[in-house]
């Protein structure tokens, strides 16, 4: 399998990695509402053969055992079942494969639409046409219905002021908002990477926060 460094592809990095969040919607006291889903547990699934899951951050601060009081469990499958990876036949671990498929089904809406194929997690078809398209579609719908923040279309304070002055569709046309939300698939949304990108949000260099090394907060 060909390996590539993200630094080598510059602006094309989005063809190899994506940053997403989870969002849901419901009705509260007769009104449509939405909110991001905040999950404290962390999960990393590797090669459909092993996974780590728990409250611990997957870094030295949590995993060394001398700073945070956290817990995580590492599961490594010893058995193998036939699967597919990168368009090729592949031997996956049964527990890890089942967990990955369950998570992906929920995230991209395959639980309610069996036609969505989640078998091959690293194929171009899945990454571009299922994962990215679902995240993009959902983000667009939520933005249209609720005018969610943060969002990529707001890149400075002036745009933020204009954006927040507009009433969302859920307040101006409830029936149309209801129809738009029917197209949401699963919970996946693209995470906005350009929100307030034109603003300098670092604390003043003369403040105690500004003088502290950035490593203090990471």
């Amino acid at each position: 399998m060909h390996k590539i460094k993200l630094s080598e592809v510059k602006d094309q990095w989005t063809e190899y990695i994506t940053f997403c969040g989870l969002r849901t919607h419901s009705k509260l006291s007769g009104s449509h509402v939405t909110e991001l889903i905040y999950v404290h547990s962390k999960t990393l699934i590797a090669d459909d053969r092993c996974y780590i899951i728990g409250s611990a951050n997957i870094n030295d601060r949590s995993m060394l055992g001398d700073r945070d009081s956290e817990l995580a469990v590492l599961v490594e499958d010893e058995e193998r079942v036939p699967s597919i990876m990168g368009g090729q036949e592949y031997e996956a671990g049964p527990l890890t494969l089942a967990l990955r498929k369950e998570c992906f089904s929920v995230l991209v809406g395959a639980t309610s639409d069996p036609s969505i194929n989640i078998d091959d997690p690293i194929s171009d078809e899945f990454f571009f046409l299922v994962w990215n398209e679902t995240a993009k579609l959902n983000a667009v719908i939520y933005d249209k219905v609720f005018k969610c923040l943060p969002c990529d279309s707001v890149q400075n304070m002036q745009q933020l002021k204009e954006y927040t002055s507009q009433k969302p569709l859920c307040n101006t046309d409830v029936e149309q908002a209801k129809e738009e939300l029917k197209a949401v698939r699963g919970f996946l949304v693209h995470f906005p990477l350009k929100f307030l990108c034109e603003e300098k949000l670092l604390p003043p260099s003369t403040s105690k926060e500004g003088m502290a090394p950035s490593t203090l907060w990471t």
Side-chain angles (χ1 to χ4, degrees), residues 5-22:
K5 294 182 179 179
L6 292 179
S7 59
E8 297 174 355
V9 296
K10 297 182 179 180
D11 293 339
Q12 295 179 315
W13 63 269
T14 54
E15 296 185 13
Y16 302 91
I17 189 172
T18 184
F19 295 93
C20 298
L22 305 177

Side-chain angles (χ1 to χ4, degrees), residues 16-62:
Y16 302 91
I17 189 172
T18 184
F19 295 93
C20 298
L22 305 177
R23 182 173 285 278
T24 188
H25 65 90
S26 186
K27 293 195 73 174
L28 181 64
S29 300
S31 300
H32 290 286
V33 294
T34 185
E35 185 56 88
L36 288 171
I37 300 174
Y38 295 94
V39 182
H40 181 68
S41 62
K42 294 85 180 176
T43 303
L44 186 151
I45 300 174
D47 303 329
D48 278 358
R49 290 181 176 177
C50 63
Y51 61 90
I52 184 171
I53 184 170
S55 64
N57 296 316
I58 306 174
N59 58 21
D60 284 350
R61 190 178 75 179
S62 283

Side-chain angles (χ1 to χ4, degrees), residues 102-141:
E102 175 66 20
C103 290
F104 278 18
S105 293
V106 172
L107 296 181
V108 303
T111 50
S112 57
D113 184 355
S115 68
I116 298 176
N117 190 338
I118 60 172
D119 291 340
D120 189 343
I122 65 172
S123 68
D124 285 349
E125 180 180 0
F126 175 78
F127 183 68
F128 292 110
L129 302 182
V130 177
W131 186 269
N132 271 337
E133 278 300 312
T134 298
K136 178 181 177 181
L137 170 70
N138 290 345
V140 169
I141 294 173

Side-chain angles (χ1 to χ4, degrees), residues 23 34 138-172 192 195-196:
R23 182 173 285 278
T34 185
N138 290 345
V140 169
I141 294 173
Y142 281 122
D143 184 49
K144 183 176 182 179
V145 174
F146 297 103
K147 301 195 71 66
C148 300
L149 286 173
C151 67
D152 280 335
S153 61
V154 176
Q155 299 180 8
N156 56 56
M157 291 301 183
Q158 180 59 37
Q159 292 176 352
L160 178 61
K161 182 178 180 180
E162 295 171 356
Y163 187 85
T164 54
S165 67
Q166 302 169 13
K167 291 184 178 181
L169 183 65
C170 62
N171 290 346
T172 60
F195 180 64
L196 296 182

Side-chain angles (χ1 to χ4, degrees), residues 57-91:
N57 296 316
I58 306 174
N59 58 21
D60 284 350
R61 190 178 75 179
S62 283
M63 303 302 289
L64 287 178
D66 57 4
R67 293 186 65 178
D68 288 353
S69 318
E70 301 288 1
L71 178 68
V73 60
L74 173 65
V75 177
E76 296 184 79
D77 270 310
E78 295 183 351
E79 299 179 3
R80 295 289 182 262
V81 293
S83 185
I84 185 171
M85 186 77 72
Q88 304 293 323
E89 292 184 357
Y90 183 75
E91 294 295 310

